[in-house]
Amino acid sequence: MSVTLKDVAALAGVSPSTVSRVCKDNPSISRETKEKVRKAIEELGYEPNFQSDQEEVAGNRTIGIILPPSPKESFENAFHLEVIRGVSQFCNQHHYMNTIITGQDEEEIIHVLNSLVKREKVDGFIVTYSKQDDPIIDYLYNEGLLYIVIGKAYKFANQTVYVDNDNVLAAQEATEYLIQLGHTNIAYLGSDSNLMFSADRKAGYQLALLNSGLAVNPDNIIELPFIPEEHSVAVHALLSRGERPSAILVSDDIFAVALERACIEMGISIPEDLSILSFNNSLFARLTSPPLTSIDINSVQLGIEAASQVINHIENPNLLATKIIVPHKLVERHSCKKI
């Protein structure tokens, strides 16, 4: 019985579609996976029944932009829109197409990815977020697909190309800014530490307090899995405390908007009663009242760098994984006050 593509896939520990793409020398497949598949082909004596397609031109290549699984938050968060703008800008300049991939949950996204991969519709992927134990990253890695992560890689870090800010340093500098304004009772409001950027920003906040001789009060740290649309018990409890914090570092402008709304409901004036410093420097930061002092993480540049890396690795498959750090800066507005 002749050796089949499925036999090669079983020996190499990859999917049949991955073997097919290796036979076509598809640039989306990592060097390690190609070597593993080619070794299995040689060992089994497999002979592909199609010719290697070397006629694909860059203008027909497509990059998939993977947004976090969510019914709506991915499209409401200005960070992802700015990243998409940066990716699209760079892709347009280099004659690449891009497509948006998201879904209600990880299972739906993986289903879409599997369909695109089988039809060989995408040459590389940009994952616009990074979190712990992500089945989407597991799928991309196990399939040997080329992907770039925006954010610090949690798994397979040595084999992953990622583009990020130094979120620990950014949060440390932001907290030190509040300390220099005279604040000693500083709280932190952020998204779940399962997200790598939020974990790093919390770590930077804690580091700044410790370096300044201030205690880290666990009651001053609030982490929420989603943006509060209505009354948040945790936020209101923090703001109702007898010794209410005089300043709060917030991991995202959208969370800061929700915090401002809670302050309005409770009659707390910003910055007279409470200083707020947020991240991302999005449109939300500029439109709030008062406008937010915010850390500009250069979201568009993150998208540009991610697109640059994925195209570079598509066109040069043997490149080693690189780590790109995009600088940040603090933009002062009117939500922080010296005390």
Side-chain angles (χ1 to χ4, degrees):
M1 182 180 294
S2 61
V3 177
T4 67
L5 184 142
K6 289 184 177 180
D7 296 329
V8 176
L11 180 60
V14 299
S15 69
S17 62
T18 297
V19 175
S20 174
R21 281 177 281 122
V22 170
C23 292
K24 295 181 180 180
D25 201 25
N26 190 298
S28 71
I29 306 299
S30 68
R31 179 178 56 182
E32 292 82 4
T33 299
K34 284 182 178 179
E35 291 175 354
K36 183 167 58 174
V37 171
R38 287 166 181 162
K39 182 178 179 181
I41 288 173
E42 182 178 352
E43 183 175 333
L44 294 174
Y46 174 68
E47 294 184 5
N49 60 1
F50 47 84
Q51 295 180 345
S52 177
D53 181 9
Q54 299 294 338
E55 298 177 356
E56 181 180 34
V57 294
N60 293 328
R61 289 179 177 172
T62 300
I63 293 170
I65 304 173
I66 303 175
L67 301 180
S70 167
K72 60 177 182 177
E73 287 180 15
S74 296
F75 297 100
E76 292 180 346
N77 193 322
F79 168 76
H80 296 296
L81 299 178
E82 291 286 272
V83 165
I84 291 170
R85 183 158 70 92
V87 172
S88 297
Q89 177 182 318
F90 195 88
C91 286
N92 291 343
Q93 292 170 351
H94 292 78
H95 310 293
Y96 275 70
M97 300 177 66
N98 56 76
T99 184
I100 306 297
I101 303 164
T102 190
Q104 299 280 339
D105 50 35
E106 284 95 352
E107 184 179 354
E108 183 177 334
I109 292 178
I110 291 173
H111 176 75
V112 173
L113 291 175
N114 198 38
S115 175
L116 290 170
V117 167
K118 284 182 177 178
R119 291 183 288 140
E120 302 181 18
K121 293 295 185 181
V122 179
D123 299 282
F125 297 91
I126 295 173
V127 184
T128 64
Y129 66 95
S130 178
K131 70 175 186 177
Q132 300 177 21
D133 300 320
D134 186 359
I136 294 169
I137 293 295
D138 291 342
Y139 171 84
L140 294 170
Y141 182 83
N142 292 331
E143 287 292 315
L145 298 167
L146 171 62
Y147 67 93
I148 311 294
V149 173
I150 295 181
K152 183 190 295 183
Y154 177 71
K155 294 177 71 175
F156 321 118
N158 201 44
Q159 296 84 36
T160 301
V161 183
Y162 67 81
V163 179
D164 197 13
N165 307 107
D166 188 335
N167 283 298
V168 173
L169 178 62
Q172 181 181 348
E173 291 176 352
T175 308
E176 289 170 350
Y177 172 83
L178 294 171
I179 292 171
Q180 290 167 7
L181 291 178
H183 298 279
T184 56
N185 187 4
I186 303 169
Y188 172 83
L189 171 63
S191 49
D192 198 316
S193 285
N194 184 45
L195 294 167
M196 298 302 293
F197 79 86
S198 189
D200 279 354
R201 289 173 188 174
K202 183 177 75 171
Y205 153 81
Q206 294 172 318
L207 183 61
L209 293 180
L210 294 173
N211 287 345
S212 299
L214 300 173
V216 177
N217 181 358
D219 292 335
N220 273 353
I221 299 175
I222 299 176
E223 295 175 282
L224 302 174
F226 51 83
I227 302 163
E229 294 187 357
E230 298 178 356
H231 181 96
S232 169
V233 174
V235 171
H236 279 254
L238 176 68
L239 297 177
S240 300
R241 232 189 265 163
E243 294 186 4
R244 183 179 63 220
S246 62
I248 301 180
L249 178 65
V250 188
S251 72
D252 188 291
D253 289 336
I254 299 182
F255 276 80
V257 171
L259 176 61
E260 279 199 344
R261 184 178 60 205
C263 289
I264 292 171
E265 293 172 356
M266 300 179 67
I268 298 170
S269 179
I270 302 168
E272 286 74 16
D273 301 325
L274 179 71
S275 291
I276 297 176
L277 198 161
S278 67
F279 273 82
N280 294 359
N281 193 37
S282 68
L283 179 64
F284 295 107
R286 302 192 291 275
L287 294 182
T288 54
S289 181
L292 292 167
T293 295
S294 187
I295 300 293
D296 190 341
I297 60 172
N298 293 301
S299 304
V300 173
Q301 191 63 34
L302 286 168
I304 290 172
E305 294 292 344
S308 173
Q309 287 298 313
V310 74
I311 289 174
N312 202 14
H313 281 261
I314 287 171
E315 298 179 355
N316 303 277
N318 294 325
L319 290 177
L320 296 175
T322 51
K323 327 296 178 189
I324 307 296
I325 300 297
V326 172
H328 61 270
K329 65 178 180 180
L330 187 145
V331 179
E332 292 184 280
R333 293 194 180 91
H334 308 295
S335 63
C336 295
K337 179 184 177 183
K338 188 172 183 178
I339 61 173

